[in-house]
Amino acid sequence: MPIWLTEAVGTPDDSTAIQMAIRLVVAFLCGCVIAAIYRWVRPREQVMPTFPATLVLLAILCAMLPLVIGQNVAWAFGLVGALSIVRFRTVVEDTHDITFVIFAVLVGMAVGADRLTVAIVGMAVTGVAAFLVRPRQRGDGWTRSGARLTIRLGAGRDPEAALGSVFERLLEKVELTSGGTSKQGASLDLNYRIRLKADTKATDLINQLNLIEGVQSVELRQGR
């Protein structure tokens, strides 16, 4: 690192509170650039509302790592062990939630390593960043960000013939993403990526699908 830059922001071991804040703010700005590039190169309909914010927060949290660990190799292995302990028995579907898990781990390690300045500055900068880049859901989230629809249909039935009329009437967009059998082949599990029409409620779709003969269950989840 150039001497002039080292003097401005310090090294991880000897950084002051102001230098730490500068590092994290720079990471925030870099994260915003990365999120902007992601939005630019990805099709709009495939962008999860929370993912750009996740990229920004991850940039800040990764910048906290050297501030917590410094030159201590033992702490580096300790961080790996701490993160490996954090396991989920169910899948965490929103990456935004995972960043807060990492946030809590890093702050806890900073406090345990007697680096209170890192913990306080990190919480302040990350908290402000999380507020600034929080996902903003405009209008009805079901129609804006899309949803995932899972339908269990009795085997031997044509999904297009059974579901097509309801889809055409209530959905703006529908795409079959995966499918399989269940109950030893007695039923089909179909997964769709959908977007509701502006005047359609989620409950309307569920009720209409339940009325179709052969439909055994319907599950609708917001997000992709």
Side-chain angles (χ1 to χ4, degrees), residues 87-93:
R87 299 175 183 272
F88 302 95
R89 295 187 180 275
T90 56
V91 177
V92 180
E93 298 178 349

Side-chain angles (χ1 to χ4, degrees), residues 40-56:
W40 182 54
V41 301
R42 290 285 289 176
R44 183 176 181 181
E45 63 273 8
Q46 295 182 11
V47 176
M48 291 183 61
T50 58
F51 195 69
T54 299
L55 295 175
V56 176

Side-chain angles (χ1 to χ4, degrees), residues 7-54:
E7 293 175 351
V9 300
T11 61
D13 284 334
D14 60 7
S15 297
T16 65
I18 295 178
Q19 290 171 332
M20 292 178 188
I22 292 175
R23 286 173 178 267
L24 298 183
V25 169
V26 171
F28 165 69
L29 296 176
C30 293
C32 289
V33 173
I34 295 171
I37 295 173
Y38 171 80
R39 283 183 174 275
W40 182 54
V41 301
R42 290 285 289 176
R44 183 176 181 181
E45 63 273 8
Q46 295 182 11
V47 176
M48 291 183 61
T50 58
F51 195 69
T54 299

Side-chain angles (χ1 to χ4, degrees), residues 65-202:
L65 283 174
L67 299 178
V68 175
I69 297 172
Q71 304 298 324
N72 195 314
V73 178
W75 287 358
F77 283 104
L79 177 61
V80 174
L83 291 175
S84 65
I85 292 174
V86 181
R87 299 175 183 272
F88 302 95
R89 295 187 180 275
T90 56
V91 177
V92 180
E93 298 178 349
D94 196 335
T95 54
H96 201 244
D97 295 338
I98 299 176
T99 57
F100 281 91
V101 174
I102 299 174
F103 185 23
V105 171
L106 285 176
V107 171
M109 286 199 66
V111 173
D114 199 23
R115 292 181 175 266
L116 297 181
T117 304
V118 177
I120 294 172
V121 174
M123 285 190 296
V125 175
T126 307
V128 172
F131 176 78
L132 293 176
V133 299
R134 68 191 186 279
R136 293 175 174 83
Q137 200 69 272
R138 297 175 296 174
D140 187 356
W142 297 102
T143 60
R144 292 289 184 178
S145 62
R148 289 180 298 170
L149 176 66
T150 301
I151 299 176
R152 177 165 292 176
L153 186 67
R157 297 183 179 275
D158 183 0
E160 293 186 5
L163 310 173
S165 60
V166 174
F167 285 171
E168 184 177 355
R169 188 169 66 254
L170 301 180
L171 300 183
E172 178 182 316
K173 180 181 179 180
V174 57
E175 177 186 356
L176 179 65
T177 58
S178 64
T181 60
S182 60
K183 296 184 178 180
Q184 298 180 342
S187 60
L188 300 175
D189 286 341
L190 305 172
N191 299 304
Y192 296 90
R193 183 183 293 120
I194 67 169
R195 184 182 299 141
L196 274 64
K197 291 184 177 179
D199 57 348
T200 301
K201 297 181 180 178

